[in-house]
């Protein structure tokens, strides 16, 4: 139910719906892997159960996923009820943690030195992703601060977002930004 996630703890709601014609009583909700599961049901506490669902009514419960590392995770949320035909229903819960992107810029500062008024010097800075797993770093905007400066300009403006894979996946991955310095006055 979680799909591909990139970091932190994620929450997803599951809707329990009684499609029968009589009241359904749920006694318990637990994960098959219990303590070893990366999934939790914070609201599935003893004070919620037993839970009575009247015909054609529904109740939502929240499931949380906290990744233990990069990879695919699977478990089943077992629901125990008084249903004669299906006393235990297993809801498959899946997630794929792709890691966390971590931006890195080399060099972290551009030093142009002395440049005569009217001349232009261009230097490059490379944006890389030192993140974990396969999580891509998405760069959607690049600007020079302060934005009102006329002494610096970007040679290659972004027209659409750039995705950068981690260096652990491709050691040459990155996005090069060319910055020009063209002083208009002495200072």
């Amino acid at each position: 139910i979680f799909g591909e996630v990139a970091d932190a703890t994620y929450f997803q709601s599951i809707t329990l719906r009684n499609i029968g014609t009589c009241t359904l009583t749920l006694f318990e909700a637990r994960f098959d892997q219990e303590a070893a599961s990366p999934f939790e049901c914070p609201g599935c506490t003893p004070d919620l159960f037993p839970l009575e669902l009247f015909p054609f009514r529904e109740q939502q419960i929240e499931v949380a996923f906290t990744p233990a590392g990069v990879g695919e995770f699977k478990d089943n949320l077992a629901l125990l009820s008084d249903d004669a035909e299906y006393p235990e229903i297993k809801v498959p819960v899946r997630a794929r943690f792709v890691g966390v992107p971590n931006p890195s810029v080399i060099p972290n500062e551009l030093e142009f030195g002395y440049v005569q008024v009217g001349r232009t010097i261009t230097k490059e800075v490379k944006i890389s992703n030192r993140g974990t797993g396969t999580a891509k770093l998405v760069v959607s905007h690049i600007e020079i601060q302060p934005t009102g400066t006329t002494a610096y300009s970007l040679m290659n403006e972004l027209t659409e977002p750039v995705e950068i894979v981690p260096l652990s996946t491709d050691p040459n991955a990155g996005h090069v930004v060319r910055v020009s310095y063209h002083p208009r006055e002495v200072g």
Side-chain angles (χ1 to χ4, degrees), residues 129 135-140 158 160-166 173-175:
N129 179 2
K136 294 177 182 173
L137 172 67
V138 178
V139 179
S140 57
L158 283 183
E160 59 186 50
V162 174
E163 292 183 347
I164 304 170
V165 298
H175 179 73

Side-chain angles (χ1 to χ4, degrees), residues 35-101:
S37 181
F39 302 98
E40 295 178 68
C41 184
C44 297
T45 58
D47 60 323
L48 177 66
F49 295 98
L51 172 66
E52 290 186 337
L53 280 176
F54 297 109
F56 307 107
R57 299 283 173 90
E58 57 187 43
Q59 170 78 34
Q60 289 196 344
I61 59 172
E62 198 168 57
V63 176
F65 170 65
T66 304
V70 173
E72 298 204 22
F73 300 90
K74 300 175 184 177
D75 203 344
N76 291 306
L77 179 63
L79 301 167
L80 305 178
S81 72
D82 65 351
D83 187 306
E85 195 172 337
Y86 300 103
E88 182 179 58
I89 297 174
K90 294 198 178 211
V91 179
V93 183
R94 312 277 185 260
R96 183 169 173 255
F97 180 58
V98 295
V100 179

